[in-house]
Each structure stands twice: as structure tokens, then as C-alpha cells.
Amino acid sequence: MVSILLTAAFAAQAQLKVTPQMAKGMEKNYSTEATVNMPGSAAFKMTSDTKVTVIDATADGYTVEMLNTAFTTDAAADNMMGQLMAISEETMKGLAIRLALDKDGNVKQILNFDELKSKTDIMAEKLVGELFKKAPQLQQMMPKDAVLQQIKESVTQESILRSLQNTTSPLALSGKTIMTGAQDEYVGDQNMKMKRMYFVNGKNVTTNSTMNMSKDDLKKFIIEQVEKMAPEQADMIKQNIDAVIDSGMLKFDMSETATYELQDDGWVKSIKAENKNEAMGQKSVINTVVTLLK
């Protein structure tokens, strides 16, 4: 009997319902700093500020606006991957994402996607044009039109919702009832399927995620990436994909860890996350710190 009671008490302590308290007019300001280490280039940082505002309370939940108020990077002009990552982030600078949330804080819908899509496409054309003007040698690595198309196609309702609900978003845990040892699955920012395990310690939540892709999933992922980056090679890859994967030449692996510190009101106070990615023997690491500003 004592053993059963102790087990029940431990389970209760290791469970947490994350429901951020919201009221019309409430504001939360977050600062995000990501340090990126990629093979073949110097480490660089990307920093951004985001204002989260509850603009309305409804019978079903809340309308929340997330505004990227600032973005900077120290990536060198000739760092192609750094500049591409920066452009993907900077297209959202100054734009507000208007969201419908339920009573528990779950993100249900983007209310102004068409407006966002139009503005991000215009911003992407401007930023990509400026990049290739400053570093025309990049044209030899990847055609300007292909870069622009890739960035435009990456902005979808699904990708925005995924970014709001994934590891480094202040809304990542909103609406979840979390228990130590619980697992779920999600699609990461690079469209890789991931499996995540949760650990609860008071108001702190730690997550460990690993890649969860079958051979067929991996084949689909590789072919989609080749079709975007080098379409002229797509047919050759499709014909030889099984042999290439079985040989280990196209090995992919990804893992994520994150620690969330929650306030008494259910809002995230801080996030510390690490993303490790290995592709064809090349490893990259992104360390991200998200902080609620006073």
C-alpha cells in the first residue's frame, strides 16, 4: 500500500499541465540568440526579438499576435548557408503573425496567412537580390532563381505552425499535459520526423528528441531535397537511391535537447536548446537560448 501511494505521489509530481494565463492586452517580450556551427565556415550568431500580444479573448480562446521586432546576424557575406538561414528568418522581420488559440493555449490557426505570404515573398525577393548583388560569386554555387524559389516555397501555413509549436518557440509546450517518460512525434524544422521524450521536474521540463525515419521516409526526404537544390540530378538519385542509402554514403542523423523553465503563470521564462545534425559525415550544431525580457 505504501509503495502504491508513493508511486502515485511521484507520478503526480512528475506531471504538469502547461496553460499560460492570458488576458486581453497582455504582452510578453522574448529575445532569441542562436549560435550556429556548420562545417566549412566560421560560427555565426542570429539574434531576434519577438513581442507576443493577446489582442482579444473570445468564447473559444484567444487571438494572439506574434511580431518579430528585430533581427540581426554576424554571418559573413560569403557564408552561403549562413546568409540563407538569415534570409529565411529576416523575411518575417516586422511582420505580425495573428493566431487563434484555444483556452489552453494550443495554436489552432493562422488568421492572416495570405497577407503574410504576400509580404514574405516581396521581402524574400528584396533580400535575395541584395545578397547576390553583394556576393555575385554565389551565383556559381546556386542560381539566384533557385534560391529565391526555395525560400518562397518554405513559407507555408504548415511550416509556420510547425515553427510555433517546435522546440524553441515560447508556445512549444502550451496546452500540453506533460508527464515524465511520455513521448510524442513531430516534424522538425528541416522536415525530419522526430520522436521526443519528456521529463518534468517541478516547473522545469526537459525534452530529448531523436530522428525517427524509416528507409522509405529517408528516401522521400532525400529526393525532395535534391529536387529543390539540384533538379537536374533528381532522376539519377531516384534510380540509385536504394544503393546509395544502403552504402551509408547518405547517412542522416538529428537530435535535439531542450530545457524549459516555466513561470507560475504558465508562460515560458527561458529555453535552452541544442540541435545536432549530421549529413554525409558533416556535423552541424545550433545552440539556442530564448529569454523572457523583464
Side-chain angles (χ1 to χ4, degrees):
M1 179 67 73
V2 172
S3 176
I4 292 172
L5 290 173
L6 287 174
T7 301
F10 175 78
Q13 289 178 346
Q15 180 173 307
L16 179 66
K17 176 67 179 289
V18 183
T19 306
Q21 296 175 17
M22 297 188 190
K24 185 176 180 179
M26 177 184 287
E27 287 187 4
K28 300 286 183 178
N29 292 279
Y30 288 93
S31 173
T32 301
E33 180 177 279
T35 302
V36 184
N37 288 275
M38 304 185 74
S41 63
F44 62 92
K45 291 184 178 181
M46 299 188 295
T47 60
S48 61
D49 293 333
T50 303
K51 181 171 72 173
V52 183
T53 306
V54 181
I55 61 175
D56 197 13
T58 69
D60 299 323
Y62 304 92
T63 303
V64 171
E65 191 172 85
M66 298 188 71
L67 174 65
N68 185 327
T69 58
F71 175 82
T72 60
T73 182
D74 62 2
D78 60 352
N79 184 336
M80 182 64 169
M81 292 306 299
Q83 290 296 328
L84 287 177
M85 291 179 68
I87 288 175
S88 295
E89 295 292 331
E90 198 167 359
T91 53
M92 297 298 297
K93 182 178 177 181
L95 300 182
I97 306 174
R98 187 163 293 193
L99 305 167
L101 277 61
D102 66 16
K103 287 290 187 181
D104 290 330
N106 288 298
V107 179
K108 308 302 290 185
Q109 183 183 1
I110 301 172
L111 300 175
N112 64 333
F113 175 74
D114 290 342
E115 175 189 0
L116 280 175
K117 179 61 176 172
S118 176
K119 290 181 177 179
T120 56
D121 282 355
I122 293 171
M123 182 61 72
E125 291 181 6
K126 175 178 179 291
L127 294 172
V128 170
E130 291 175 351
L131 172 62
F132 277 81
K133 187 174 181 180
K134 287 187 296 185
Q137 69 274 16
L138 296 179
Q139 183 72 29
Q140 299 175 2
M141 301 172 59
M142 185 182 295
K144 175 183 172 182
D145 290 344
V147 173
L148 182 58
Q149 181 179 356
Q150 181 181 354
I151 292 174
K152 285 184 175 182
E153 290 179 351
S154 69
V155 181
T156 64
Q157 292 201 54
E158 181 182 34
S159 67
I160 295 176
L161 285 172
R162 191 165 61 233
S163 70
L164 295 171
Q165 297 167 338
N166 274 357
T167 308
T168 57
S169 167
L171 299 177
L173 302 181
S174 294
K176 294 181 181 291
T177 298
I178 303 168
M179 181 182 294
T180 292
Q183 298 184 42
D184 65 9
E185 297 180 354
Y186 67 99
V187 178
D189 292 335
Q190 299 186 42
N191 289 325
M192 288 188 172
K193 294 182 179 179
M194 307 289 288
K195 178 180 287 186
R196 172 171 49 197
M197 180 175 286
Y198 294 88
F199 302 89
V200 179
N201 182 15
K203 294 190 181 302
N204 290 343
V205 177
T206 299
T207 63
N208 290 327
S209 304
T210 54
M211 196 173 80
N212 183 35
M213 298 178 70
S214 66
K215 181 179 178 180
D216 286 341
D217 291 333
L218 192 56
K219 287 167 60 175
K220 180 180 178 182
F221 173 79
I222 293 171
I223 291 171
E224 287 177 348
Q225 297 305 307
V226 172
E227 287 176 338
K228 291 178 182 178
M229 305 293 290
E232 68 281 359
Q233 303 294 327
D235 286 341
M236 181 186 70
I237 290 295
K238 290 177 182 178
Q239 294 171 13
N240 298 280
I241 189 69
D242 287 296
V244 173
I245 290 178
D246 292 341
S247 71
M249 293 174 60
L250 288 180
K251 180 182 177 181
F252 286 85
D253 195 17
M254 179 182 286
S255 64
E256 289 185 329
T257 60
T259 299
Y260 303 83
E261 182 183 2
L262 301 174
Q263 298 189 134
D264 290 339
D265 63 1
W267 284 88
V268 167
K269 183 178 181 180
S270 68
I271 306 171
K272 294 181 180 178
E274 181 179 67
N275 175 293
K276 294 182 178 180
N277 191 344
E278 181 178 352
M280 293 176 287
Q282 301 295 309
K283 298 181 180 180
S284 62
V285 180
I286 303 176
N287 288 290
T288 305
V289 177
V290 181
T291 306
L292 178 63
L293 302 175
K294 299 297 184 182

